[in-house]
Amino acid sequence: MRNLTQRPSRGAAFAIAAIFGLIANIPTGHAAEHTKYPLALQNCGVSVTFDKAPERAVTIGQNSTEILLSLGLADKMVGTAVWVGPVLKGFESQNEKIKRLADNSPSFESVVGQEPDLVAVQFEWDVGPNGEVGTREQFSELGIPTYVSPADCVAKDNSGGGDGVRKEPFTMELVYQEIRELSQIFDVQERGEQLVTDLKKRETDAIAQVAGTKAAGLPVVFWFSSKDIKGEAFVAGKNGAPAYILRALGAKNVIDTQEEWPLVSWETIVGKEPDVIVIAEMARRRYAADDPAVKVNFLETDPVTSQLETVKEKRFVIMDAQAMNPTIRTIDGIEALADGIKQFRLTD
């Protein structure tokens, strides 16, 4: 869901290794070929050309920011936005030096005012056909190339507003594509490949951790937030990052819709009888249920939800909100849910 935040996760150390361990881990004799400019890319249906590596990048979206930081490009960043939570552990000092344009969606003028030669975007909601910040055409008319995360546009329809409809299951390959393409744009391919390698290893290790005890078919619901704590809940649809986490662990989503974050009544959710409720944790306080403590209190005191065996047994997994979106932190989500499943002894 847009405008996320989370505390630093226990897996965030990979980001530091992605910068400080790069050279030592690159096989000799197999260095990636340097980018040949002008570089032309097809990105979310738009042709984008770079005459040289960007020197002044603006990022709109937490994941876009953290990818560039993980690629060691802090000195190429002149502005960030849609950043309402703590940066990945290890990047605090670099992040403090980058101008914060807005906590949520910045104005078009504030972005252009940084004189960027790249605007990297996490959500089409911000920069797209009906962008909150602006359209890609508006930036292009000023000679500013834009790059939108493939995870938010490939097999995904954002034309209806909200968080969009994902028509095919998300996979981490879309995040890896983004890392590789951004590293190509900046001509730091070795760093990109190392970051992808680090993420894939963590993903493999997390799955292997529960390989012999997969909770096959275990019904799970992911609760992001609610506008009204007693109203309908924003829960994960069947094709987003939470669904990817569930597939990795052999569990299943009780929600069967292509909407990324549909609003669903608690009567409907209770009728699905989830065995685990995954609760988003964030520093953002945009909606009444952003606070995980508020979520838990509601579940335990509401006349309907309090009757769930899951609630009585307190089978809650508190998960960093950013892991619930297609990001470099989605791997953290696999680790967190695997730990919860083992703790609750719900495996085969």
Side-chain angles (χ1 to χ4, degrees):
M1 197 172 186
R2 295 183 304 274
N3 299 352
L4 306 180
T5 179
Q6 69 165 38
R7 64 183 180 186
S9 65
R10 64 188 179 89
F14 84 89
I16 303 173
I19 292 179
F20 300 107
L22 281 171
I23 304 302
N25 290 316
I26 298 172
T28 57
H30 296 280
E33 185 177 333
H34 283 291
T35 302
K36 294 179 180 178
Y37 299 100
L39 171 67
L41 293 175
Q42 287 295 320
N43 171 244
C44 293
V46 175
S47 180
V48 187
T49 301
F50 297 89
D51 295 324
K52 62 182 181 64
E55 294 287 338
R56 298 181 60 82
V58 169
T59 50
I60 302 176
Q62 181 175 342
N63 188 54
S64 301
T65 304
E66 292 183 343
I67 287 178
L68 293 193
L69 288 172
S70 298
L71 291 173
L73 297 168
D75 62 333
K76 308 296 184 184
M77 301 169 68
V78 296
T80 67
V82 192
W83 188 275
V84 294
V87 68
L88 275 170
K89 189 175 181 180
F91 292 121
E92 293 87 352
S93 61
Q94 294 98 315
N95 188 54
E96 287 177 358
K97 298 175 184 178
I98 303 169
K99 185 174 182 179
R100 180 73 59 84
L101 303 182
D103 285 341
N104 296 301
S105 298
S107 68
F108 179 78
E109 291 75 17
S110 69
V111 176
V112 172
Q114 307 312 307
E115 300 181 355
D117 49 11
L118 167 66
V119 176
V121 185
Q122 183 172 352
F123 299 111
E124 281 193 324
W125 165 271
D126 285 307
V127 178
N130 301 299
E132 184 82 0
V133 179
T135 66
R136 301 187 75 173
E137 289 78 11
Q138 285 177 291
F139 284 104
S140 180
E141 288 171 1
L142 298 177
I144 303 172
T146 53
Y147 180 91
V148 178
S149 171
D152 197 55
C153 67
V154 174
K156 186 169 181 277
D157 181 5
N158 297 310
S159 63
D163 293 290
V165 176
R166 195 174 294 276
K167 300 189 175 182
E168 293 180 6
F170 160 78
T171 75
M172 281 296 292
E173 287 304 318
L174 292 174
V175 176
Y176 302 149
Q177 175 187 342
E178 179 175 6
I179 292 169
R180 289 185 170 115
E181 289 180 340
L182 286 171
S183 65
Q184 185 182 17
I185 290 169
F186 282 91
D187 194 19
V188 290
Q189 288 89 324
E190 292 93 345
R191 302 180 194 179
E193 286 305 317
Q194 186 61 53
L195 180 55
V196 170
T197 297
D198 292 342
L199 285 166
K200 285 187 173 182
K201 183 179 186 303
R202 285 186 55 220
E203 181 175 7
T204 299
D205 291 347
I207 294 172
Q209 182 183 1
V210 294
T213 57
K214 283 189 176 181
L218 185 74
V220 179
V221 65
F222 282 73
W223 182 15
F224 190 87
S225 191
S226 301
K227 294 179 180 178
D228 179 349
I229 188 61
K230 295 183 179 180
E232 295 180 317
F234 286 111
V235 294
K238 70 176 184 178
N239 288 336
Y244 182 83
I245 293 170
L246 293 173
R247 289 197 304 274
L249 300 176
K252 72 174 184 179
N253 195 342
V254 301
I255 305 300
D256 186 22
T257 175
Q258 293 181 330
E259 288 184 62
E260 192 84 336
W261 291 100
L263 275 170
V264 181
S265 71
W266 278 105
E267 288 77 8
T268 298
I269 296 170
V270 168
K272 304 283 187 179
E273 297 185 342
D275 279 338
V276 176
I277 299 176
V278 183
I279 294 173
E281 180 180 39
M282 64 192 83
R284 186 195 79 173
R285 293 296 180 264
R286 179 182 177 186
Y287 293 139
D290 284 350
D291 187 341
V294 171
K295 293 185 180 77
V296 171
N297 181 69
F298 165 78
L299 291 170
E300 294 180 337
T301 59
D302 180 78
V304 175
T305 59
S306 61
Q307 299 309 305
L308 269 175
E309 190 68 21
T310 306
V311 175
K312 294 177 180 179
E313 296 294 328
K314 300 184 183 297
R315 293 198 291 263
F316 308 134
V317 172
I318 308 299
M319 183 180 294
D320 288 323
Q322 188 73 338
M324 293 188 182
N325 263 349
T327 66
I328 56 178
R329 298 198 191 194
T330 298
I331 308 304
D332 297 342
I334 297 177
E335 296 168 337
L337 184 55
D339 288 345
I341 289 173
K342 290 192 298 180
Q343 176 186 340
F344 302 143
R345 298 182 180 180
L346 294 172
T347 53
D348 288 343

